[in-house]
Amino acid sequence: MKVRTCGIVVIIVALLMLVSCSKEESKENTQSFLAGMNTTMMAGQNTESFDALDDLFSKNPPGGFKAEMISGTPEALARLVSGSILPYPSEIDSFFGTWTYYPDSTPPWIHTDTLDPDDGIKYIWEYTDTASVNHDAYLLLDSLEFYAGDEDTLPENAHLSLGLDSDEILWMNFSVTYASPDTITNLAFTLEVVDYFQYGLRISSPTSIGGDEFEGSFRLWVIDYQSNDYRIDLLVQVKVDGSGEVALWDSDEWRLEADISEVVETDTVGTDIFEKRDVDGEITHSGNHAADIIGYIWEPEDDDHESEVMIVYPDGTEEPLDTYLEEPTKGLLTFKPW
């Protein structure tokens, strides 16, 4: 009986060891996942859509419309919210309607229809692609609505559509909610290059999405249609005390979660106050452990207060998380409060 019991125990231990080993993801697979984030963030950046837009902007379309409107960067969105993308917002309705580009006329842009659209601007021009093929191109900026509390100078809603030969190849939706002319509580932005990628952003706060003391949530996602609709989501949630949670996951069941602590240490240098927060998290794949995330963040940073967040693999090796947060991911994370 004792021999049989001993044998059963040995088998159970062996099975537990096997299961335990199978629940740790390999270092190489984890690194591939992390490295793939930037590739996905850059999805579709070299499509014909952007060539067509560059061509339009080189022709200086009327109305003060600029490329930043659709660039999707946090800096561009901030400028859009401030009203600087449309430099003459109080006069923008005088540009409403359709403008057609005639290169041999002076001026080359002719206001060919003042009524359609009645809430935006449509540009029509001939675009020549890299294969020297001509296309009938259009860009429609419509559904423009402005915050009524500030003499119609702050945009609340906007829609954009870009087409070649009547086929839509890019679209964008943008909306913000103002508590006052200086306070935005919600921002929503979606940009899609048809058949290539979609980029979405949602920021929400009970107080304000601007300023240094952010409280609320930040949501970002990217869908790469060229890679079987591969998707990455990022969610950052921040509490009143500045602590928070970060979660990043993809459609292949990879997940990175980290907790950001309250301030654990401060250092005053002159008039500058440096605050330190601890970071503690984990990377998993299909629920299996892949790596730990440990470290700390200084805000602000300088040579004497450098943040250090490390990825610790099951084999004990480490590498900085920053290795996988090169541009454009870092630019997208400039909204983060830490």
Side-chain angles (χ1 to χ4, degrees), residues 36-316:
M37 286 193 301
N38 284 311
T39 302
T40 300
M41 292 295 182
M42 290 297 292
Q45 293 297 308
N46 297 313
T47 68
E48 189 160 52
S49 300
F50 295 102
D51 290 339
L53 287 169
D54 286 341
D55 184 59
L56 170 64
F57 300 135
S58 71
K59 294 175 169 53
N60 297 315
F65 183 73
K66 297 182 180 179
E68 290 94 331
M69 171 67 88
I70 51 77
S71 72
T73 65
E75 294 79 10
L77 290 173
R79 289 195 294 273
L80 174 58
V81 169
S82 71
S84 63
I85 297 302
L86 302 172
Y88 314 111
S90 61
E91 304 171 11
I92 191 64
D93 56 350
S94 65
F95 292 95
F96 284 1
T98 298
W99 294 81
T100 305
Y101 185 75
Y102 296 98
D104 296 328
S105 69
T106 305
W109 287 100
I110 305 300
H111 208 174
T112 52
D113 190 331
T114 60
L115 301 177
D116 182 25
D118 61 1
D119 62 349
I121 306 172
K122 185 174 185 178
Y123 304 107
I124 298 176
W125 79 104
E126 185 176 79
Y127 163 69
T128 303
D129 64 23
T130 55
S132 299
V133 177
N134 294 330
H135 302 272
D136 294 326
Y138 75 84
L139 185 140
L140 174 65
L141 173 65
D142 65 349
S143 300
L144 286 171
E145 298 177 4
F146 295 89
Y147 179 60
D150 195 42
E151 299 180 356
D152 293 345
T153 60
L154 297 174
E156 281 188 322
N157 291 284
H159 169 263
L160 180 143
S161 177
L162 173 69
L164 293 182
D165 302 323
S166 300
D167 292 327
E168 184 181 54
I169 61 173
L170 177 148
W171 61 266
M172 181 210 77
N173 287 321
F174 170 86
S175 66
V176 296
T177 301
Y178 297 91
S180 71
D182 299 321
T183 305
I184 295 173
T185 55
N186 291 281
L187 182 149
F189 176 87
T190 306
L191 170 68
E192 176 163 313
V193 176
V194 178
D195 295 331
Y196 284 88
F197 79 97
Q198 182 183 109
Y199 163 51
L201 177 68
R202 299 287 186 273
I203 308 176
S204 179
S205 170
T207 53
S208 173
I209 68 172
D212 295 330
E213 298 182 357
F214 175 78
E215 172 196 357
S217 65
F218 168 98
R219 178 73 177 268
L220 167 73
W221 71 87
V222 178
I223 306 173
D224 185 353
Y225 297 125
Q226 295 286 294
S227 299
N228 298 315
D229 297 345
Y230 177 71
R231 174 170 177 146
I232 289 180
D233 286 82
L234 170 69
L235 175 62
V236 179
Q237 300 183 84
V238 186
K239 301 176 183 177
V240 177
D241 60 12
S243 63
E245 301 172 352
V246 177
L248 184 147
W249 65 95
D250 73 355
S251 53
D252 290 338
E253 299 188 40
W254 283 93
R255 190 173 186 89
L256 184 158
E257 293 182 311
D259 293 325
I260 313 296
S261 74
E262 300 178 34
V263 174
V264 296
E265 181 182 341
T266 61
D267 186 23
T268 302
V269 180
T271 59
D272 296 325
I273 299 177
F274 297 84
E275 297 181 334
K276 181 181 180 182
R277 300 175 185 274
D278 287 334
V279 180
D280 181 25
E282 182 185 22
I283 301 174
T284 60
H285 183 215
S286 301
N288 300 329
H289 178 73
D292 290 311
I293 304 292
I294 59 172
Y296 50 84
I297 297 173
W298 280 102
E299 180 63 33
E301 286 189 88
D302 64 10
D303 291 342
D304 296 319
H305 304 84
E306 294 185 355
S307 299
E308 181 180 276
V309 181
M310 305 296 293
I311 306 168
V312 182
Y313 296 101
D315 63 4

